[in-house]
Amino acid sequence: MTRLNWIAIPAVFLALSGGAPAQETRLRLASFVPPNTAFGIPAKRWVDETNRRGKGILQIDMVGPEAVPVPEQPNALKTGVVDLHSGPPTFYNGTLVEAETFNLSERSIDELRKNGAWDYLNKLHAEKLNAMLLTGFGNGVNFHIYTTKPANAADKVRPFAGFILRATPSYKAFFESEGANVVMTAPGEVYTALERNMVQGYGWPLWGVKDLGWLKLTKYRYDPGFFNVSVHIMINLDRWKKLDKRQQDLLTEMSAWMDAQWPKWRAEAAGMEEKIQRDGGVQVVNLGPEHRKRAHDLFWAELQAKSPQHIPHLKKLMTK
């Protein structure tokens, strides 16, 4: 056999097998918090497991807000500056207010996938954010109000009158309904605001108060919690379409993996976070069931006013 024949054999083989094997693809994920904090850790675990399973197929580099500032992250995803994003819908509610319904959902992501809510919201993400939801975490972890001084718990209507509380757009109206004045700042600015008495409290989930350094300035937590934490891992839609089948299948597989792992991680962490706050001297004050109900009623009404076309249908799918 001539040298030319030997050269031709690999070319023929590649043609018959559908071409050369696809090269490993690298994607960049921006997280709204550092990967070593309470709501960065689940995303980091997902990235690590994806990279372990995806050798030779797909790898993900994770960066935090130090690389892409939080307010810029949703638009960076939309325009393809980053390929993936891990963060809550509150930071892109100006573009897609319907995503805030995740915060009010009484169902797991698995249930939302089965009843059509996930697909409904994915369609809206594609249309308005040029993104596709892959998976998420946080459901079952509630938000709370924390303060540096005691509220007037005897006043069931305006217990935070005279307080300035740090809020996000999601619970701004709720805090104001309970008497507080609100300011909206990035999480990285909260410690200084507390230390200088620019705010006397803040809204935050049960998890992560110590991670962010706020525990030593926090004296009270108010129960019951309200809303759900809602952090989604999304991919730029154009980038998704450019992935080959193996790469798309890997991310689909990893979405199911996160759906299954999250309840286990949540159960493991819940008791630990309670203990951290208890050991840190945080006193728990129960404001009664109306506290939570007011938060949810106000936010559903606010969302419906902004999106009457979509919110009534989503509310039916997300509440029990």
Side-chain angles (χ1 to χ4, degrees), residues 209-227:
V209 174
K210 183 179 180 180
D211 293 342
L212 293 162
W214 306 344
L215 183 62
K216 66 180 182 180
L217 300 175
T218 301
K219 305 302 180 186
Y220 299 90
R221 185 187 86 220
Y222 300 87
D223 285 359
F226 59 94
F227 298 176

Side-chain angles (χ1 to χ4, degrees), residues 9-265:
I9 287 173
V12 172
F13 175 78
L14 288 173
L16 292 173
S17 63
Q23 292 185 339
E24 181 181 271
T25 292
R26 296 199 78 87
L27 303 179
R28 188 169 181 239
L29 180 149
S31 170
F32 81 113
V33 290
N36 61 343
T37 58
F39 295 105
I41 290 170
K44 180 65 163 59
R45 289 177 177 175
W46 184 82
V47 167
D48 289 346
E49 184 64 16
T50 301
N51 289 345
R52 187 185 72 79
R53 298 188 189 194
K55 290 177 181 177
I57 302 172
L58 180 146
Q59 296 288 287
I60 299 172
D61 299 316
M62 181 176 179
V63 299
E66 76 290 341
V68 184
V70 173
E72 298 174 17
Q73 289 183 5
N75 193 57
L77 177 73
K78 182 178 182 179
T79 58
V81 173
V82 297
D83 304 301
L84 297 135
H85 177 234
S86 176
T90 190
F91 294 118
Y92 58 93
N93 67 2
T95 301
L96 181 54
V97 70
E98 296 85 0
E100 292 272 31
T101 57
F102 280 117
N103 292 329
L104 295 165
S105 176
E106 298 170 4
R107 300 184 182 278
S108 68
I109 286 179
D110 186 55
E111 289 174 314
L112 297 178
R113 290 190 196 275
K114 290 175 180 176
N115 75 6
W118 187 265
D119 286 344
Y120 192 100
L121 279 160
N122 229 338
K123 184 173 183 291
L124 293 175
H125 277 75
E127 291 172 358
K128 298 185 179 186
L129 200 64
N130 190 35
M132 187 178 89
L133 295 165
L134 291 174
T135 186
F137 56 91
N139 61 289
V141 180
N142 294 148
F143 285 80
H144 296 264
I145 296 176
Y146 299 86
T147 63
T148 57
K149 64 179 185 178
N152 182 9
D155 185 343
K156 299 300 182 183
V157 178
R158 294 171 56 83
F160 297 100
F163 281 72
I164 302 174
L165 300 179
R166 180 265 179 187
T168 70
S170 302
Y171 41 83
K172 176 178 181 290
F174 169 50
F175 283 14
E176 290 173 339
S177 78
E178 296 208 332
N181 293 312
V182 303
V183 296
M184 287 180 279
T185 64
E189 300 171 8
V190 173
Y191 181 87
T192 300
L194 289 169
E195 191 175 42
R196 296 178 180 176
N197 199 36
M198 296 164 63
V199 300
Q200 296 80 50
Y202 55 90
W204 196 256
L206 178 66
W207 296 12
V209 174
K210 183 179 180 180
D211 293 342
L212 293 162
W214 306 344
L215 183 62
K216 66 180 182 180
L217 300 175
T218 301
K219 305 302 180 186
Y220 299 90
R221 185 187 86 220
Y222 300 87
D223 285 359
F226 59 94
F227 298 176
N228 271 307
V229 172
S230 177
V231 181
H232 295 111
I233 297 175
M234 304 180 284
I235 186 167
N236 172 275
L237 193 57
D238 297 325
R239 195 69 179 92
W240 169 261
K241 291 175 180 177
K242 291 177 182 176
L243 298 178
D244 65 28
K245 187 176 185 304
R246 287 193 315 158
Q247 294 160 348
Q248 289 184 349
D249 286 349
L250 173 67
L251 291 177
T252 300
E253 173 189 324
M254 291 310 304
S255 297
W257 179 83
M258 176 65 95
D259 291 355
Q261 292 299 313
W262 166 247
K264 303 173 189 175
W265 298 345

Side-chain angles (χ1 to χ4, degrees), residues 1-16:
M1 186 176 288
T2 67
R3 174 175 172 78
L4 185 59
N5 294 138
W6 279 107
I7 293 172
I9 287 173
V12 172
F13 175 78
L14 288 173
L16 292 173

Side-chain angles (χ1 to χ4, degrees), residues 279-293:
D279 292 349
V282 176
Q283 298 181 46
V284 178
V285 179
N286 195 312
L287 295 178
E290 282 299 315
H291 175 70
R292 176 184 174 88
K293 184 177 184 301

